Amino acid sequence: MEKRYQIFVSSTFEDLVDERKRVIETILNFNHIPAGMELFTASNDEQFEYIKKIMHNCDYYILIVGGRYGTINPDKGISYTEQEYLYALELGLPILAFLHETPYDLPSKRRDDENRILFDAFLKKVKTGKMIKYWSNIDNLTSSVLLGLNYEFNNNPRLGWVRGGESNSAELLKQINDLRLEKETIEKKYMEVKETLHENQPKFENLAEMSEVYTVRGIEMDENGDSNFYEDDFDFTWNDIFKAIGPHLNPCVKKDIFEKIVKCNLGYYGFEGIRDECIQTIRIQLYAQGLIYQDTISGSLHIGLTQKGEVYLLQIMTIKTQK
Protein backbone atom coordinates (compact mmCIF):
# COMPACT_ATOMS: atom_id res chain seq x y z
CA MET A 1 0.00 0.00 0.00
CA GLU A 2 1.76 3.13 -1.24
CA LYS A 3 1.57 6.00 1.22
CA ARG A 4 2.16 9.64 0.42
CA TYR A 5 2.75 12.33 2.99
CA GLN A 6 1.54 15.91 2.84
CA ILE A 7 4.25 18.36 3.88
CA PHE A 8 3.65 22.01 4.72
CA VAL A 9 6.43 24.40 3.64
CA SER A 10 6.56 27.56 5.72
CA SER A 11 8.78 30.60 5.21
CA THR A 12 8.76 34.26 4.38
CA PHE A 13 7.85 34.56 0.74
CA GLU A 14 9.47 37.22 -1.44
CA ASP A 15 13.05 36.68 -0.25
CA LEU A 16 12.87 32.87 -0.50
CA VAL A 17 10.94 32.32 -3.75
CA ASP A 18 13.73 30.29 -5.38
CA GLU A 19 14.41 28.26 -2.23
CA ARG A 20 10.72 27.42 -1.80
CA LYS A 21 10.45 26.41 -5.44
CA ARG A 22 13.41 24.03 -5.20
CA VAL A 23 12.20 22.48 -1.92
CA ILE A 24 8.71 21.95 -3.34
CA GLU A 25 10.20 20.34 -6.45
CA THR A 26 12.27 18.08 -4.18
CA ILE A 27 9.14 16.97 -2.31
CA LEU A 28 7.31 16.28 -5.57
CA ASN A 29 10.25 14.30 -6.93
CA PHE A 30 10.15 12.32 -3.69
CA ASN A 31 6.53 11.38 -4.63
CA HIS A 32 4.95 13.30 -1.77
CA ILE A 33 2.57 16.24 -1.55
CA PRO A 34 3.86 19.77 -0.80
CA ALA A 35 1.51 22.36 0.66
CA GLY A 36 2.05 26.08 1.05
CA MET A 37 0.91 29.49 0.03
CA GLU A 38 2.40 29.68 -3.47
CA LEU A 39 -0.49 31.67 -4.93
CA PHE A 40 -0.60 34.27 -2.17
CA THR A 41 1.12 34.96 1.12
CA ALA A 42 -0.65 34.98 4.46
CA SER A 43 -1.41 38.63 5.11
CA ASN A 44 -4.61 38.66 7.16
CA ASP A 45 -6.50 36.57 9.67
CA GLU A 46 -9.03 35.28 7.14
CA GLN A 47 -6.27 33.82 4.96
CA PHE A 48 -4.52 32.42 8.03
CA GLU A 49 -7.66 30.50 8.97
CA TYR A 50 -7.46 28.87 5.55
CA ILE A 51 -3.80 28.05 6.14
CA LYS A 52 -4.72 26.36 9.44
CA LYS A 53 -7.15 24.08 7.61
CA ILE A 54 -4.39 23.06 5.20
CA MET A 55 -1.91 22.46 8.02
CA HIS A 56 -4.42 20.33 9.88
CA ASN A 57 -4.28 17.81 7.03
CA CYS A 58 -0.46 17.78 6.82
CA ASP A 59 1.87 15.12 8.19
CA TYR A 60 5.09 17.14 8.51
CA TYR A 61 6.06 20.80 8.76
CA ILE A 62 9.14 22.35 7.13
CA LEU A 63 10.31 25.78 8.27
CA ILE A 64 12.83 27.67 6.13
CA VAL A 65 14.33 30.81 7.66
CA GLY A 66 16.50 33.26 5.76
CA GLY A 67 17.14 36.79 6.98
CA ARG A 68 13.60 38.19 7.15
CA TYR A 69 11.11 37.93 9.98
CA GLY A 70 8.09 38.48 7.74
CA THR A 71 4.85 40.42 7.69
CA ILE A 72 3.58 41.08 11.22
CA ASN A 73 -0.02 40.41 12.19
CA PRO A 74 -1.01 43.66 13.96
CA ASP A 75 -3.48 41.82 16.17
CA LYS A 76 -0.92 39.26 17.37
CA GLY A 77 2.32 41.25 17.33
CA ILE A 78 4.16 38.39 15.60
CA SER A 79 4.69 37.45 11.97
CA TYR A 80 2.40 35.13 10.05
CA THR A 81 5.37 32.80 9.59
CA GLU A 82 5.76 32.55 13.37
CA GLN A 83 2.01 31.98 13.67
CA GLU A 84 2.32 29.03 11.29
CA TYR A 85 5.20 27.65 13.36
CA LEU A 86 3.25 27.97 16.62
CA TYR A 87 0.23 26.28 15.07
CA ALA A 88 2.42 23.40 13.87
CA LEU A 89 3.57 23.00 17.48
CA GLU A 90 -0.03 23.05 18.63
CA LEU A 91 -0.93 20.31 16.14
CA GLY A 92 2.06 18.24 17.23
CA LEU A 93 3.44 18.05 13.70
CA PRO A 94 7.04 16.85 13.34
CA ILE A 95 9.00 20.04 12.61
CA LEU A 96 12.06 20.20 10.36
CA ALA A 97 13.70 23.61 10.74
CA PHE A 98 16.32 24.93 8.31
CA LEU A 99 18.00 28.18 9.35
CA HIS A 100 20.40 30.26 7.26
CA GLU A 101 23.98 30.09 8.55
CA THR A 102 24.62 33.84 8.36
CA PRO A 103 21.26 35.65 8.12
CA TYR A 104 22.75 38.99 9.17
CA ASP A 105 25.25 38.92 6.31
CA LEU A 106 22.57 38.57 3.62
CA PRO A 107 21.93 41.56 1.30
CA SER A 108 19.79 44.27 2.90
CA LYS A 109 16.79 43.45 0.68
CA ARG A 110 16.82 39.93 2.13
CA ARG A 111 16.99 41.08 5.77
CA ASP A 112 14.50 42.49 8.24
CA ASP A 113 16.74 44.85 10.22
CA GLU A 114 13.80 46.82 11.57
CA ASN A 115 12.43 43.65 13.18
CA ARG A 116 15.77 42.36 14.46
CA ILE A 117 14.57 41.87 18.05
CA LEU A 118 11.52 39.87 16.97
CA PHE A 119 13.63 37.90 14.49
CA ASP A 120 16.22 36.99 17.14
CA ALA A 121 13.49 35.94 19.56
CA PHE A 122 11.92 33.74 16.87
CA LEU A 123 15.25 32.09 16.08
CA LYS A 124 15.79 31.37 19.76
CA LYS A 125 12.33 29.82 19.98
CA VAL A 126 12.94 27.60 16.94
CA LYS A 127 16.29 26.40 18.25
CA THR A 128 14.85 25.33 21.60
CA GLY A 129 14.12 21.64 22.12
CA LYS A 130 14.55 20.33 18.58
CA MET A 131 17.15 19.44 16.00
CA ILE A 132 17.76 22.11 13.39
CA LYS A 133 19.88 22.29 10.26
CA TYR A 134 21.76 25.26 8.85
CA TRP A 135 21.99 26.12 5.15
CA SER A 136 23.91 28.62 3.07
CA ASN A 137 22.72 27.96 -0.51
CA ILE A 138 19.89 26.27 -2.36
CA ASP A 139 21.82 23.08 -3.04
CA ASN A 140 22.71 22.24 0.55
CA LEU A 141 19.23 23.34 1.65
CA THR A 142 17.49 20.87 -0.67
CA SER A 143 19.95 18.10 0.21
CA SER A 144 19.29 18.67 3.91
CA VAL A 145 15.52 18.70 3.35
CA LEU A 146 15.74 15.39 1.49
CA LEU A 147 17.85 13.77 4.20
CA GLY A 148 15.66 15.17 6.97
CA LEU A 149 12.42 13.95 5.39
CA ASN A 150 13.89 10.53 4.72
CA TYR A 151 14.88 10.26 8.40
CA GLU A 152 11.42 11.33 9.58
CA PHE A 153 9.61 8.94 7.21
CA ASN A 154 11.65 6.03 8.57
CA ASN A 155 11.67 6.97 12.24
CA ASN A 156 8.50 8.97 12.72
CA PRO A 157 5.92 7.64 10.20
CA ARG A 158 2.63 9.50 10.07
CA LEU A 159 -0.89 8.75 8.86
CA GLY A 160 -0.28 9.91 5.28
CA TRP A 161 -2.55 9.40 2.30
CA VAL A 162 -3.41 6.34 0.22
CA ARG A 163 -5.43 5.94 -2.96
CA GLY A 164 -9.16 5.84 -2.32
CA GLY A 165 -9.51 2.44 -3.99
CA GLU A 166 -7.00 0.76 -1.68
CA SER A 167 -8.28 -1.28 1.25
CA ASN A 168 -7.87 0.06 4.76
CA SER A 169 -9.85 -2.65 6.52
CA ALA A 170 -9.29 -3.56 10.14
CA GLU A 171 -7.63 -6.81 9.06
CA LEU A 172 -5.14 -4.98 6.86
CA LEU A 173 -4.37 -2.50 9.62
CA LYS A 174 -3.82 -5.40 12.02
CA GLN A 175 -1.37 -6.98 9.56
CA ILE A 176 0.49 -3.70 9.26
CA ASN A 177 0.71 -3.36 13.03
CA ASP A 178 1.96 -6.95 13.36
CA LEU A 179 4.64 -6.25 10.76
CA ARG A 180 5.62 -3.09 12.61
CA LEU A 181 6.05 -5.01 15.87
CA GLU A 182 8.04 -7.70 14.08
CA LYS A 183 10.24 -5.04 12.49
CA GLU A 184 10.91 -3.44 15.90
CA THR A 185 11.89 -6.84 17.35
CA ILE A 186 14.28 -7.55 14.47
CA GLU A 187 15.79 -4.08 14.74
CA LYS A 188 16.35 -4.53 18.47
CA LYS A 189 18.11 -7.85 17.93
CA TYR A 190 20.13 -6.34 15.11
CA MET A 191 21.31 -3.47 17.33
CA GLU A 192 22.36 -5.95 20.05
CA VAL A 193 24.40 -7.99 17.57
CA LYS A 194 25.81 -4.84 15.99
CA GLU A 195 27.09 -3.49 19.31
CA THR A 196 28.72 -6.85 20.08
CA LEU A 197 30.54 -6.72 16.75
CA HIS A 198 31.66 -3.14 17.31
CA GLU A 199 33.06 -3.95 20.75
CA ASN A 200 35.36 -6.41 18.98
CA GLN A 201 36.32 -3.91 16.27
CA PRO A 202 40.10 -3.80 15.85
CA LYS A 203 41.91 -1.03 17.73
CA PHE A 204 44.41 1.23 15.99
CA GLU A 205 47.37 3.06 17.48
CA ASN A 206 48.76 6.52 16.77
CA LEU A 207 45.54 7.82 15.25
CA ALA A 208 45.16 11.57 14.87
CA GLU A 209 43.36 13.11 17.81
CA MET A 210 39.91 14.56 17.19
CA SER A 211 41.23 18.06 17.86
CA GLU A 212 43.85 17.76 15.12
CA VAL A 213 43.34 19.31 11.70
CA TYR A 214 42.63 17.46 8.45
CA THR A 215 42.93 19.22 5.10
CA VAL A 216 40.03 18.82 2.67
CA ARG A 217 40.44 19.73 -0.98
CA GLY A 218 37.59 20.88 -3.22
CA ILE A 219 36.60 20.41 -6.84
CA GLU A 220 35.18 22.98 -9.24
CA MET A 221 34.14 22.57 -12.87
CA ASP A 222 35.86 24.91 -15.31
CA GLU A 223 34.12 26.52 -18.26
CA ASN A 224 34.88 23.45 -20.40
CA GLY A 225 33.12 21.15 -17.94
CA ASP A 226 36.34 19.59 -16.67
CA SER A 227 37.14 19.11 -12.98
CA ASN A 228 39.78 21.32 -11.43
CA PHE A 229 41.41 20.26 -8.18
CA TYR A 230 41.94 23.27 -5.94
CA GLU A 231 45.31 23.89 -4.42
CA ASP A 232 43.67 25.90 -1.65
CA ASP A 233 43.34 23.96 1.58
CA PHE A 234 40.21 23.79 3.74
CA ASP A 235 41.20 22.87 7.26
CA PHE A 236 38.77 21.14 9.61
CA THR A 237 39.42 19.46 12.92
CA TRP A 238 38.14 15.90 13.11
CA ASN A 239 35.67 17.18 15.70
CA ASP A 240 34.32 19.68 13.16
CA ILE A 241 33.97 16.95 10.56
CA PHE A 242 32.21 14.58 12.95
CA LYS A 243 29.85 17.31 14.19
CA ALA A 244 28.93 18.15 10.60
CA ILE A 245 28.09 14.64 9.43
CA GLY A 246 27.44 12.61 12.59
CA PRO A 247 23.81 13.71 13.18
CA HIS A 248 22.89 12.38 9.72
CA LEU A 249 24.15 8.84 10.38
CA ASN A 250 21.44 7.68 12.74
CA PRO A 251 19.82 5.64 11.32
CA CYS A 252 22.54 4.21 9.12
CA VAL A 253 22.78 5.29 5.48
CA LYS A 254 24.13 3.72 2.32
CA LYS A 255 27.71 4.49 1.33
CA ASP A 256 26.65 6.77 -1.54
CA ILE A 257 24.36 8.74 0.79
CA PHE A 258 27.25 9.03 3.27
CA GLU A 259 29.37 10.58 0.51
CA LYS A 260 26.58 13.05 -0.32
CA ILE A 261 26.32 13.98 3.36
CA VAL A 262 30.05 14.74 3.50
CA LYS A 263 29.90 16.85 0.33
CA CYS A 264 26.81 18.71 1.49
CA ASN A 265 28.01 19.53 4.99
CA LEU A 266 31.69 20.22 4.32
CA GLY A 267 31.38 21.78 0.87
CA TYR A 268 31.95 25.49 0.47
CA TYR A 269 29.74 27.73 -1.62
CA GLY A 270 31.12 27.91 -5.16
CA PHE A 271 32.64 24.42 -5.15
CA GLU A 272 31.18 21.49 -7.03
CA GLY A 273 32.32 18.92 -4.50
CA ILE A 274 35.12 17.38 -2.47
CA ARG A 275 37.82 15.09 -3.76
CA ASP A 276 36.83 11.44 -3.45
CA GLU A 277 40.03 10.44 -1.66
CA CYS A 278 39.23 12.99 1.06
CA ILE A 279 35.74 11.54 1.50
CA GLN A 280 37.08 8.00 1.79
CA THR A 281 39.80 9.12 4.23
CA ILE A 282 37.11 10.68 6.43
CA ARG A 283 35.08 7.47 6.35
CA ILE A 284 38.06 5.26 7.20
CA GLN A 285 39.37 7.59 9.91
CA LEU A 286 36.04 7.78 11.75
CA TYR A 287 35.70 4.00 11.43
CA ALA A 288 39.18 3.51 12.89
CA GLN A 289 38.22 5.84 15.75
CA GLY A 290 35.27 3.55 16.51
CA LEU A 291 32.77 6.37 15.96
CA ILE A 292 31.03 4.80 12.97
CA TYR A 293 30.39 1.23 11.86
CA GLN A 294 30.25 -0.27 8.38
CA ASP A 295 27.88 -3.16 7.66
CA THR A 296 26.89 -4.84 4.42
CA ILE A 297 23.09 -5.01 4.19
CA SER A 298 21.41 -6.54 1.13
CA GLY A 299 24.67 -6.26 -0.77
CA SER A 300 25.19 -2.56 0.00
CA LEU A 301 27.64 -1.00 2.43
CA HIS A 302 25.79 0.91 5.17
CA ILE A 303 27.38 3.39 7.57
CA GLY A 304 26.02 4.50 10.94
CA LEU A 305 26.96 5.71 14.40
CA THR A 306 28.28 3.28 16.98
CA GLN A 307 27.23 3.67 20.58
CA LYS A 308 30.60 5.29 21.20
CA GLY A 309 29.91 7.67 18.30
CA GLU A 310 26.49 8.63 19.66
CA VAL A 311 27.92 9.34 23.11
CA TYR A 312 30.85 11.32 21.70
CA LEU A 313 28.53 13.35 19.47
CA LEU A 314 26.48 14.31 22.52
CA GLN A 315 29.64 15.36 24.32
CA ILE A 316 30.89 17.69 21.59
CA MET A 317 27.53 19.09 20.42
CA THR A 318 25.57 19.71 23.60
CA ILE A 319 25.61 23.21 25.05
CA LYS A 320 27.21 23.34 28.47
CA THR A 321 26.18 25.66 31.26
CA GLN A 322 28.01 28.98 31.53
CA LYS A 323 27.60 29.08 35.30
Side-chain angles (χ1 to χ4, degrees):
M1 182 168 58
E2 184 179 1
K3 180 186 292 187
R4 297 191 178 189
Y5 293 115
Q6 184 162 307
I7 302 155
F8 192 90
V9 181
S10 177
S11 73
T12 51
F13 194 80
E14 294 180 358
D15 60 315
L16 295 174
V17 170
D18 293 335
E19 287 80 358
R20 288 180 64 93
K21 180 181 178 182
R22 183 75 72 82
V23 167
I24 286 172
E25 288 174 352
T26 298
I27 294 171
L28 288 170
N29 290 335
F30 212 16
N31 293 321
H32 294 284
I33 308 166
M37 297 298 98
E38 302 311 305
L39 298 180
F40 57 89
T41 56
S43 58
N44 58 53
D45 282 335
E46 181 179 350
Q47 291 178 355
F48 188 72
E49 288 303 313
Y50 178 62
I51 291 173
K52 288 169 67 174
K53 292 179 181 179
I54 294 175
M55 292 179 65
H56 195 269
N57 290 322
C58 288
D59 300 291
Y60 301 94
Y61 174 90
I62 287 177
L63 173 66
I64 307 170
V65 179
R68 294 184 63 83
Y69 178 61
T71 303
I72 296 177
N73 183 339
D75 296 328
K76 304 291 184 179
I78 60 175
S79 70
Y80 289 96
T81 303
E82 184 168 354
Q83 275 191 265
E84 290 175 358
Y85 170 76
L86 294 176
Y87 191 64
L89 287 175
E90 182 179 334
L91 292 175
L93 292 177
I95 295 174
L96 293 81
F98 303 90
L99 312 184
H100 198 279
E101 287 182 352
T102 55
Y104 309 123
D105 294 335
L106 290 169
S108 57
K109 64 181 180 180
R110 300 190 67 182
R111 298 198 312 264
D112 240 353
D113 292 339
E114 65 272 21
N115 294 320
R116 178 71 175 270
I117 294 177
L118 289 172
F119 181 70
D120 288 344
F122 181 44
L123 289 181
K124 183 177 180 181
K125 189 178 298 182
V126 173
K127 294 176 184 178
T128 302
K130 66 180 64 61
M131 289 294 291
I132 60 172
K133 181 66 182 173
Y134 291 94
W135 64 278
S136 59
N137 58 68
I138 290 181
D139 288 336
N140 62 36
L141 170 62
T142 52
S143 296
S144 297
V145 167
L146 184 59
L147 290 168
L149 286 175
N150 187 57
Y151 178 85
E152 289 293 330
F153 295 164
N154 290 323
N155 292 273
N156 191 14
R158 304 280 289 176
L159 181 62
W161 301 82
V162 296
R163 290 176 60 89
E166 295 187 34
S167 171
N168 61 348
S169 64
E171 178 60 29
L172 181 56
L173 293 176
K174 180 180 182 301
Q175 292 177 14
I176 293 172
N177 188 56
D178 290 342
L179 288 172
R180 179 184 63 82
L181 294 174
E182 182 179 354
K183 176 176 176 288
E184 290 178 355
T185 301
I186 293 173
E187 286 179 342
K188 182 178 179 181
K189 291 181 179 178
Y190 170 73
M191 291 300 295
E192 292 173 353
V193 173
K194 183 190 74 173
E195 289 303 328
T196 301
L197 291 173
H198 298 154
E199 288 174 1
N200 298 323
Q201 181 175 315
K203 305 298 187 293
F204 301 90
E205 298 181 355
N206 301 320
L207 289 173
E209 295 183 2
M210 295 298 287
S211 59
E212 292 185 42
V213 169
Y214 174 65
T215 300
V216 177
R217 301 184 66 186
I219 300 173
E220 186 180 60
M221 306 299 289
D222 62 23
E223 56 188 21
N224 297 320
D226 297 323
S227 296
N228 287 330
F229 293 135
Y230 269 91
E231 296 299 330
D232 295 333
D233 295 336
F234 310 112
D235 291 337
F236 300 92
T237 66
W238 286 105
N239 276 330
D240 291 334
I241 292 172
F242 191 54
K243 285 193 290 186
I245 66 178
H248 304 285
L249 303 181
N250 190 6
C252 64
V253 299
K254 290 185 178 179
K255 181 174 177 286
D256 60 334
I257 298 298
F258 172 84
E259 293 170 354
K260 290 179 181 179
I261 291 171
V262 175
K263 290 178 182 178
C264 172
N265 289 278
L266 294 183
Y268 274 59
Y269 182 78
F271 291 90
E272 301 292 336
I274 295 173
R275 294 185 66 167
D276 183 68
E277 56 263 38
C278 294
I279 296 174
Q280 304 314 323
T281 297
I282 289 170
R283 175 176 62 85
I284 293 170
Q285 181 73 11
L286 296 180
Y287 175 71
Q289 290 279 7
L291 301 175
I292 64 174
Y293 66 85
Q294 303 181 113
D295 280 346
T296 300
I297 304 174
S298 300
S300 299
L301 182 64
H302 282 63
I303 300 167
L305 291 179
T306 62
Q307 185 175 12
K308 175 183 176 181
E310 293 177 356
V311 172
Y312 188 70
L313 196 62
L314 288 173
Q315 290 175 344
I316 62 176
M317 291 196 70
T318 50
I319 299 174
K320 310 302 188 295
T321 179
Q322 301 298 311
K323 296 181 181 180

